[in-house]
Amino acid sequence: MTDFAATKAMFALPEGMIYLDGNSLGPLPKAAGARVHDMMTQEWGKLLITGWNKAGWMAKPTDLGDRVGKLIGAEPGSVVMGDTLSIKVYQAVASALELNPTRKVVLSDNGNFPTDLYMADGLLRSLGDDYELRVVDPEAVANHLTDDVAVMMITEVDYRTGRKHDMKALTELAHANGIVTVWDLAHTAGALPVDLAGCKADFAVGCTYKYLNGGPGAPAFIYVAPRLADQVRPALSGWLGHEAPFAFDLDYRPGSGIERMRVGTPPVIQMTALETAMDVWDMADIHEVRAKSIELTELFIAEVEAACPMLRLASPRDAEIRGSQVSFSFEDGYAAMQAIIARGVIGDFRAPDIMRFGFTPLYIDEGDVRAAVAIIADVMSNKLWDRPEYKVRNKVT
């Protein structure tokens, strides 16, 4: 059984704060500071460039890839870390398109995170006017998996509402229509169980700074199904994806398997911090995390709806099709969220009117939920948000 009290004790959580924004940025593992300090002083400081061999820096992207892979149901050796999620989206979609060369359409939905749509649109514009990014309502994706679609690019859990797609059903339907699949797991990895291998997903991408707690700027990951790994051509053919990087050939030859999806130099300091977060994950069972997450979100919804009738649930009511977040809509949601944050409950706001709260059982428990609801109810019932200072928009909302 996962000991959630033990995992909570492994995070640095500020006194007097209830942190319900781990779906945007996870908190600091207590071990990270010392581990990173040791890496910088003992490895970078003393080994300098020999650290690439002696400290195993070059192997971190695949070693960490396998650790993340266990949480997303990936086969060993099918996940590699590095770069940003935007870069990994570009890589995955470009490679997927080349696997389906007679088709020109990438299908997505309007609940997808904007960067995925931006990256796909930019890629398709560079390929020519005959390519199309087709964006439909989330509920309509299945009906648009037609025989002119090359790639289905879907974020499994909607970043605004937490609505969850059925990965297995959509992947099966896509494959039945000759479509290659790309799944974005940004709001899935570390929030709920995933079975990439069992669902026969083709590609998947995700970040590690949210539920995985790798820290701001933590590296992204990309998954390529083993059956495709030696077929795909990496559109971003960086030197570390080369078959022999230190041969310094002028001609690119892709490395074997997932190694070819590496691009540039791995961010070793950030990966060291991520390792400490993965040490905490080694203590947890993702199925138990999901069960506890459902308990916490169900409690939160019931308590908020009882105390704050002015808030409207924007997330699915059915926990089975909801991720590990709860969103409420409110016309003055930005100001309300700022007032709530000022009282020590940290959530965030997503335009146009979404107040978003994340529930991460590794460090959030029932007591936190009840205490948070009491503060939210006070802010909403007494209109404490209706002050000028709470209506000034910050760059990051």
Side-chain angles (χ1 to χ4, degrees):
M1 295 290 290
T2 302
D3 185 344
F4 290 112
T7 60
K8 183 173 185 176
M10 298 183 75
F11 288 96
L13 299 166
E15 186 83 24
M17 178 186 291
I18 302 171
Y19 193 67
L20 303 182
D21 210 11
N23 54 308
S24 193
L25 175 67
L28 173 71
K30 289 180 178 177
R35 180 85 65 87
V36 170
H37 179 268
D38 184 68
M39 177 268 151
M40 294 180 72
T41 58
Q42 302 304 309
E43 296 179 13
W44 181 14
K46 294 183 177 179
L47 299 179
L48 290 167
I49 199 168
T50 67
W52 288 108
N53 291 317
K54 292 181 179 178
W57 294 345
M58 192 59 77
K60 283 186 184 293
T62 44
D63 289 348
L64 272 168
D66 277 341
R67 297 182 74 178
V68 170
K70 292 177 181 178
L71 292 175
I72 57 176
E75 302 91 335
S78 62
V79 178
V80 72
M81 314 293 302
D83 316 302
T84 67
L85 179 52
S86 297
I87 295 299
K88 292 310 180 195
V89 168
Y90 190 99
Q91 275 189 291
V93 174
S95 293
L97 280 168
E98 289 197 6
L99 292 175
N100 228 347
T102 63
R103 303 185 184 190
K104 308 290 186 181
V105 176
V106 173
L107 177 70
S108 191
D109 71 73
N110 53 32
N112 208 342
F113 193 72
T115 196
D116 293 30
L117 301 178
Y118 302 161
M119 296 304 288
D121 181 63
L123 168 62
L124 296 179
R125 287 176 183 271
S126 70
L127 293 176
D129 293 340
D130 52 341
Y131 283 84
E132 176 190 351
L133 175 61
R134 187 174 298 165
V135 181
V136 301
D137 291 336
E139 299 81 5
V141 170
N143 294 330
H144 286 81
L145 293 172
T146 50
D147 59 10
D148 62 336
V149 174
V151 178
M152 180 187 74
M153 178 188 69
I154 297 291
T155 296
E156 186 182 20
V157 174
D158 187 309
Y159 75 102
R160 288 174 301 187
T161 67
R163 181 191 186 278
K164 178 179 173 293
H165 280 291
D166 187 331
M167 178 185 289
K168 185 174 180 59
L170 284 179
T171 299
E172 288 178 353
L173 186 56
H175 286 170
N177 287 280
I179 299 168
V180 182
T181 62
V182 176
W183 287 96
D184 184 336
L185 306 180
H187 288 269
T188 303
L192 51 102
V194 190
D195 186 10
L196 291 176
C199 291
K200 296 182 170 55
D202 300 312
F203 296 85
V205 296
C207 57
T208 60
Y209 52 81
K210 299 181 189 292
Y211 294 99
L212 296 182
N213 311 300
F221 63 84
I222 186 168
Y223 162 87
V224 181
R227 67 182 182 280
L228 301 174
D230 286 318
Q231 300 177 38
V232 299
R233 186 188 75 85
L236 299 174
S237 43
W239 78 297
L240 286 184
H242 192 281
E243 180 182 60
F246 288 89
F248 299 110
D249 291 338
L250 297 184
D251 296 322
Y252 182 80
R253 302 191 312 276
S256 62
I258 196 64
E259 287 288 326
R260 66 180 56 193
M261 304 309 280
R262 294 176 66 160
V263 182
T265 305
V268 177
I269 297 173
Q270 195 70 63
M271 286 186 174
T272 301
L274 176 59
E275 286 175 335
T276 66
M278 297 312 298
D279 290 345
V280 181
W281 274 106
D282 287 344
M283 301 168 57
D285 180 287
I286 189 62
H287 296 277
E288 293 171 0
V289 169
R290 174 60 170 166
K292 180 59 69 174
S293 163
I294 290 174
E295 288 181 20
L296 296 177
T297 54
E298 293 284 86
L299 173 64
F300 183 75
I301 291 170
E303 296 280 317
V304 169
E305 289 191 323
C308 307
M310 69 291 293
L311 299 182
R312 182 178 63 82
L313 183 66
S315 297
R317 193 167 295 279
D318 181 354
E320 295 302 317
I321 57 171
R322 186 179 67 234
S324 198
Q325 69 184 67
V326 174
S327 297
F328 285 94
S329 60
F330 181 61
E331 184 178 3
D332 291 292
Y334 179 80
M337 183 57 77
Q338 298 313 300
I340 291 166
I341 290 171
R343 298 283 300 278
V345 176
I346 311 298
D348 61 23
F349 172 81
R350 291 295 178 261
D353 62 355
I354 296 293
M355 299 169 64
R356 193 174 68 155
F357 303 91
F359 295 85
T360 45
L362 292 189
Y363 53 84
I364 295 295
D365 55 31
E366 181 179 321
D368 295 322
V369 172
R370 293 188 184 280
V373 172
I375 290 172
I376 294 168
D378 185 34
V379 168
M380 300 308 301
S381 299
N382 294 301
K383 294 188 177 182
L384 302 183
W385 53 268
D386 195 15
R387 299 178 183 176
E389 63 267 30
Y390 296 141
K391 299 179 182 182
V392 178
R393 295 286 178 108
N394 292 314
K395 287 185 178 181
V396 179
T397 64

